[in-house]
Amino acid sequence: TGLGRAITQAMHGLGMSGGRFEVRLQDAAQPMQSGLDEVAFLVAGHAGTTPRPVAKVASGGELSRLALAIAVTTSRLGTAQTLIFDEVDAGVGGSVAETVGRLMRQLGVDRQVLAVTHLPQVAACADHHLVVSKQLQGGATLSSVTTVQGESRVAEIARMLGGERLQETTVAHAKDMLRYSA
């Protein structure tokens, strides 16, 4: 199907080269509330493997990338004005993480995209960057949300890259990431 081909193409861009996504329609044994067809999503994560049901073959990282490939592909078809991704980049890193960030940035051109991430490659692609933190106060855990911009954003990307102790090289890398992804 056209949907299967489009999702397969998106998968390839997310580091699943040679993988394949298929949408199979079968006649239902009897009419159902949802119609006369049964829909199955099948995936082959790598070249040379046979597509099987997504739930049986996809790892956590593959599921994250499949979810993003499906979201990117189907969002082009729909009219949803806001897309929310909660750690859709789990289990990926490096250049795939950068691709995830760029895809989400692309989605954000004509709609609002909110993404929870722990990856600096993804955070660096955002137009706006919010940091969620938790503090213990009087026996209760309180969450706060802070907008980071300018040097504060550089420091946050550097912290995501290298931990709490900021080093000169980490800060320089964070600046490069922000400049490159803009």
Side-chain angles (χ1 to χ4, degrees):
T1 66
L3 180 61
R5 283 189 299 276
I7 292 171
T8 295
Q9 186 176 13
M11 286 170 53
H12 293 176
L14 291 168
M16 297 178 79
S17 294
R20 194 168 78 237
F21 188 88
E22 292 182 7
V23 179
R24 289 214 181 131
L25 297 174
Q26 295 177 297
D27 292 335
Q30 60 187 19
M32 301 178 295
Q33 193 174 20
S34 59
L36 298 173
D37 297 317
E38 290 182 353
V39 180
F41 295 133
L42 308 171
V43 69
H46 310 282
T49 57
T50 303
R52 295 181 44 215
V54 171
K56 294 186 187 261
V57 297
S59 69
E62 288 173 332
L63 282 174
S64 295
R65 287 179 277 174
L66 279 172
L68 184 58
I70 292 167
V72 167
T73 303
T74 58
S75 72
R76 293 178 184 141
L77 306 173
T79 59
Q81 291 304 301
T82 302
L83 300 172
I84 301 171
F85 298 100
D86 185 6
E87 297 186 32
V88 73
D89 51 15
V92 303
S95 63
V96 174
E98 188 176 317
T99 301
V100 168
R102 291 188 181 284
L103 275 173
M104 286 200 267
R105 183 182 194 103
Q106 178 186 340
L107 284 173
V109 168
D110 58 0
R111 67 197 75 224
Q112 178 175 265
V113 175
L114 302 172
V116 176
T117 185
H118 295 279
L119 298 179
Q121 298 95 324
V122 174
C125 290
D127 290 327
H128 303 281
H129 190 150
L130 306 172
V131 175
V132 179
S133 58
K134 296 180 181 182
Q135 300 85 28
L136 186 62
Q137 289 184 356
T141 302
L142 301 176
S143 297
S144 64
V145 179
T146 308
T147 301
V148 289
Q149 301 174 43
E151 289 304 312
S152 295
R153 185 166 186 209
V154 171
E156 177 58 18
I157 296 291
R159 185 200 63 75
M160 293 172 81
L161 282 165
E164 295 297 327
R165 252 187 66 232
L166 299 184
Q167 297 180 353
E168 198 174 309
T169 55
T170 318
V171 171
H173 188 190
K175 286 179 180 178
D176 282 346
M177 287 177 72
L178 287 164
R179 192 173 20 256
Y180 177 71
S181 64

